[in-house]
Amino acid sequence: MSPIDPQPRTGRAARAGRRARQLIALGLALLAATACSAENLPRFGMPESATAQGERIAHLWSSGWIAAWIVGAVVWGLILIAIIAYRR
């Protein structure tokens, strides 16, 4: 119950919120279940490096892509939550 809205949500709005929480929990569980190590990360288009510095750059490149995917997933999730919550 919200202090602004004294009535609890029922019906379609409550189901949508519950479903969104379930999907977020499922996504986090799937992400945690992969348990990838640094050796298993894909290269995301970066060619094989010839030097030690190249390996560090490849790791930075992969980390940047992973961060971008995470930020993109959060943004899409927030967009979908806003679409569901504020539809007419």
Side-chain angles (χ1 to χ4, degrees):
M1 226 159 49
S2 168
I4 297 172
D5 185 18
Q7 299 296 327
R9 293 191 306 177
T10 58
R12 194 174 1 174
R15 284 192 303 268
R18 196 168 32 250
R19 182 73 173 159
R21 285 192 301 273
Q22 289 172 348
L23 288 174
I24 290 170
L26 177 64
L28 290 174
L30 288 174
L31 182 66
T34 59
C36 294
S37 67
E39 293 82 29
N40 296 334
L41 291 177
R43 298 192 61 86
F44 294 109
M46 187 79 163
E48 291 292 325
S49 57
T51 64
Q53 291 85 3
E55 286 298 319
R56 292 178 66 191
I57 295 299
H59 181 69
L60 179 65
W61 177 261
S62 296
S63 300
W65 272 104
I66 292 168
W69 279 103
I70 291 170
V71 170
V74 168
V75 169
W76 274 102
L78 291 173
I79 289 171
L80 291 174
I81 288 170
I83 288 171
I84 292 169
Y86 297 107
R87 65 181 172 204
R88 291 183 187 212

